[in-house]
Amino acid sequence: MRSAEHGFVSQTAKEKEAAAKQTFVFQASLANEYPAKQDEECGARIREPDSQRKRSGCEADRVKTNGLAVNNGRTEENNMAEKKLVEAITSMNEDFAQWYTDVVKKAELIDYSNVKGCMVIKPAGYAIWENIQRQLDDRFKAVGVENVYMPMFIPESLLEKEKDHVEGFAPEVAWVTYGGLNPLPERMCVRPTSETLFCDFYKNDIQSYRDLPKVYNQWCSVVRWEKETRPFLRSREFLWQEGHTAHATAEEAQARTEQMLNVYADFCEEVLAIPVIKGRKTEKEKFAGAEATYTIEALMHDGKALQSGTSHNFGDGFAKAFGIQFTDKDNKLKYVHQTSWGVSTRIIGAIIMVHGDDSGLVLPPKIAPTQVMIIPIQQKKEGVLEKANELKEVLSNFRVKVDDSDKSPGWKFSEQEMRGIPLRVEIGPKDIEAGKCVICRRDTREKVEVALDQLAETVDALLKQMQSDMLEKARKHVESHTYTATTREEFEEIFATKTGFVKAMWCGETSCEEAIKENMAVTSRCMPFHQECLSDKCVYCGKPAKKMVYWGRAY
């Protein structure tokens, strides 16, 4: 499967210049920039009676609200200590591209590789992908999808069967020309996508209407020889899933195309807490060889769009190129109608850029590999570590860990924040004595004091609230960064002074769309399903308008 998200659309000089500044430079891993560990007492808490309770170092002052202790700001000492621990992260407002690279490195999601243009996905990063894969796969199976696996090599003659398809991929194909020490009689490409392999399989596997529909998906990696790469967003090899289906009628194929787009949109909003715009791509932006391409578009913190998933209706074009026919109920030979749809590891980039902050990752609870990190305070004191492990058992219904390393609490706090773990549970000698613990939310840093016998239910409630709050925050960001333009002057002014989506009418002509891209470095993101009539004229050329389009600058 192919879409604009992995470099199919040509770039203007301005876009190339901007992209060059954000190039994913593959190099030896950076030296550890963390300072020496802080003293164990930084973050240790001194418990006094409620009327005169104090906090030291990395502990925030608290006030009582409705029976719970709520964070009321951090001490200057704590802020300085935290700043030291995260000083290697560039502020996103200072340099968003560098902030992104710092976060993926410091949160240990990836490392650089000696294979140029490729990355090593480390355990913390791969665990996020595993959760995406697991939950998305469950949703696939709920709508009748079955998993298969196709070869990773495609003979050149097979790739060339669909003219538009091969032309779209030719610049990015990696070729294998030798098998061992001997030249191959026909060169083979390492799959950039698998349409041709599925078509070659379907032409023999489908004979009758009784063999339909075929609703298959594969989880795999693909290779595209990208010139400019960035972690998760663009790399020469990346992980994804690609669904490929075959149907007896055009109506069934269209229904499946839209169904899978809705699966993606629901997953992004319900699990990743990322609101998306659903719509159809223009003819210029659609997948090579497709009749229609549909997309979900997300807005990053810096106001750029990220195509986060696509679903394509192929009609019967590939079926005719590959001879995929079946005998229908009327005993006539007909061509199948096909679809293709996919999501890749670039969705991890979306999670980072939608939810992250200057302290690192902020992971939605439903996708976080670790939902709760228990941090024992003064853990060398008798009973503290034992109690921490006891709380881990109490929270066994969640993805929970105990940080029993010999690092200071302050260090552990910053590390938990860097990795985006949704909740932190702090437990020390005085907490045990009082039968309480402290819970800190990663997204708001709000702290609450909780009775130990209410820990599980409080954690459950906080995780659900955090998931909801993160989606709402992201939704408000999209709303506040979505503008409307009805004239060319407005259109150009908005993109010159603001970042985000712009809704504007369009004439439907590719030449106009290309002029917008060339002159403004702006692309059409989608023609949303929910259309609005903002004007009767195209925002750029002034011709009669046909569609309302979301426009933006994109990754």
Side-chain angles (χ1 to χ4, degrees), residues 241-439:
Q241 57 75 210
E242 51 178 321
H244 297 270
T245 72
H247 305 269
T249 68
E251 292 76 17
E252 289 178 14
Q254 180 62 24
R256 175 59 71 170
T257 304
E258 294 179 11
Q259 180 184 39
M260 299 314 297
L261 188 76
N262 288 330
V263 168
Y264 290 150
D266 291 345
F267 174 76
C268 282
E269 297 201 356
E270 295 170 8
V271 178
L272 306 184
I274 298 176
V276 295
I277 306 297
K278 295 187 293 184
R280 180 172 175 169
K281 285 289 189 182
T282 63
E283 285 296 303
K284 179 181 183 300
E285 295 287 336
K286 75 177 184 179
F287 170 72
E291 282 192 0
T293 290
Y294 302 88
T295 180
I296 53 172
E297 299 286 328
L299 190 67
M300 305 299 100
H301 183 83
D302 65 345
K304 287 186 179 179
L306 185 74
Q307 182 174 286
S308 302
T310 49
S311 187
H312 314 287
N313 186 340
F314 287 160
D316 59 5
F318 277 87
K320 288 178 178 177
F322 285 82
I324 311 171
Q325 293 180 293
F326 69 100
T327 303
D328 206 351
K329 293 177 182 179
D330 58 6
N331 209 34
K332 292 182 179 179
L333 207 58
K334 299 178 181 179
Y335 289 104
V336 300
H337 295 262
Q338 294 174 266
T339 78
S340 179
W341 25 273
V343 161
S344 75
T345 40
R346 75 179 348 228
I347 200 71
I348 297 177
I351 296 170
I352 298 167
M353 292 192 289
V354 169
H355 300 303
D357 61 22
D358 284 344
S359 293
L361 291 176
V362 182
L363 295 176
K366 288 186 179 181
I367 209 67
T370 302
Q371 295 172 312
V372 183
M373 180 65 79
I374 300 172
I375 297 181
I377 307 299
Q378 295 179 308
Q379 68 184 40
K380 294 180 181 179
K381 289 195 173 182
E382 184 178 355
V384 174
L385 200 53
E386 290 77 6
K387 177 58 73 171
N389 285 307
E390 183 182 313
L391 295 184
K392 180 182 177 182
E393 292 302 314
V394 170
L395 299 175
S396 59
N397 287 335
F398 307 95
R399 296 188 289 275
V400 58
K401 290 183 178 180
V402 174
D403 188 344
D404 58 0
S405 67
D406 61 358
K407 299 171 184 174
S408 74
W411 181 285
K412 293 178 183 180
F413 292 170
S414 290
E415 192 168 56
Q416 171 259 335
E417 292 187 353
M418 172 77 77
R419 294 179 181 274
I421 297 170
L423 294 180
R424 180 174 77 232
V425 174
E426 305 167 17
I427 184 77
K430 295 294 184 179
D431 297 306
I432 298 171
E433 184 180 326
K436 298 178 180 180
C437 65
V438 176
I439 303 178

Side-chain angles (χ1 to χ4, degrees), residues 19-213:
K21 295 179 180 179
Q22 300 177 4
T23 299
F24 178 9
V25 181
F26 289 82
Q27 57 187 10
S29 59
L30 300 175
N32 186 354
E33 294 182 42
Y34 284 123
K37 288 193 304 179
Q38 297 179 30
D39 188 273
E40 169 77 8
E41 290 304 310
C42 179
R45 294 168 297 166
I46 304 171
R47 291 286 180 158
E48 301 291 350
D50 286 344
S51 61
Q52 50 183 312
R53 181 167 294 171
K54 299 179 181 178
R55 297 287 179 263
S56 67
C58 293
E59 178 66 12
D61 293 335
R62 299 189 180 117
V63 295
K64 288 280 188 176
T65 304
N66 295 327
L68 295 177
V70 183
N71 182 31
N72 191 36
R74 295 173 175 236
T75 64
E76 183 178 354
E77 181 183 353
N78 180 50
N79 287 335
M80 291 177 64
E82 181 177 277
K83 183 179 180 181
K84 288 182 180 179
L85 289 172
V86 298
E87 64 184 358
I89 298 181
T90 303
S91 167
M92 61 169 60
N93 291 328
E94 177 185 333
D95 186 338
F96 192 81
Q98 188 58 50
W99 167 84
Y100 178 83
T101 301
D102 289 347
V103 169
V104 296
K105 277 290 295 175
K106 297 302 178 182
E108 297 190 2
L109 300 183
I110 65 102
D111 206 345
Y112 300 126
S113 166
N114 285 329
V115 182
K116 187 177 181 181
C118 297
M119 62 182 173
V120 175
I121 303 179
K122 300 181 75 172
Y126 199 80
I128 296 173
W129 179 243
E130 285 180 313
N131 282 345
I132 291 171
Q133 183 180 28
R134 187 179 302 113
Q135 296 187 55
L136 199 51
D137 199 61
D138 286 343
R139 290 172 182 248
F140 290 167
K141 288 182 169 63
V143 294
V145 178
E146 298 179 285
N147 286 331
V148 298
Y149 189 81
M150 292 287 165
M152 71 180 300
F153 300 114
I154 305 174
E156 185 172 17
S157 58
L158 194 62
L159 188 67
E160 290 180 340
K161 280 197 172 184
E162 213 290 327
K163 182 176 180 293
D164 291 337
H165 187 65
V166 69
E167 286 182 355
F169 280 101
E172 297 177 358
V173 170
W175 292 102
V176 177
T177 57
Y178 271 73
L181 300 176
N182 302 314
L184 296 177
E186 179 183 15
R187 65 177 183 169
M188 295 188 290
C189 75
V190 182
R191 63 176 169 227
T193 182
S194 301
E195 275 75 16
T196 55
L197 292 169
F198 274 90
C199 287
D200 189 55
F201 168 71
Y202 282 152
K203 76 176 182 182
N204 298 317
D205 196 53
I206 298 171
Q207 302 297 327
S208 164
Y209 70 90
R210 296 184 181 89
D211 298 324
L212 296 171

Side-chain angles (χ1 to χ4, degrees), residues 2 6-7 172 224-229 234-236:
R2 184 61 166 127
H6 284 287
E172 297 177 358
R224 295 176 185 172
W225 216 252
E226 300 277 6
K227 293 181 179 179
E228 297 169 346
T229 53
R234 291 182 187 275
S235 56
R236 288 180 176 174

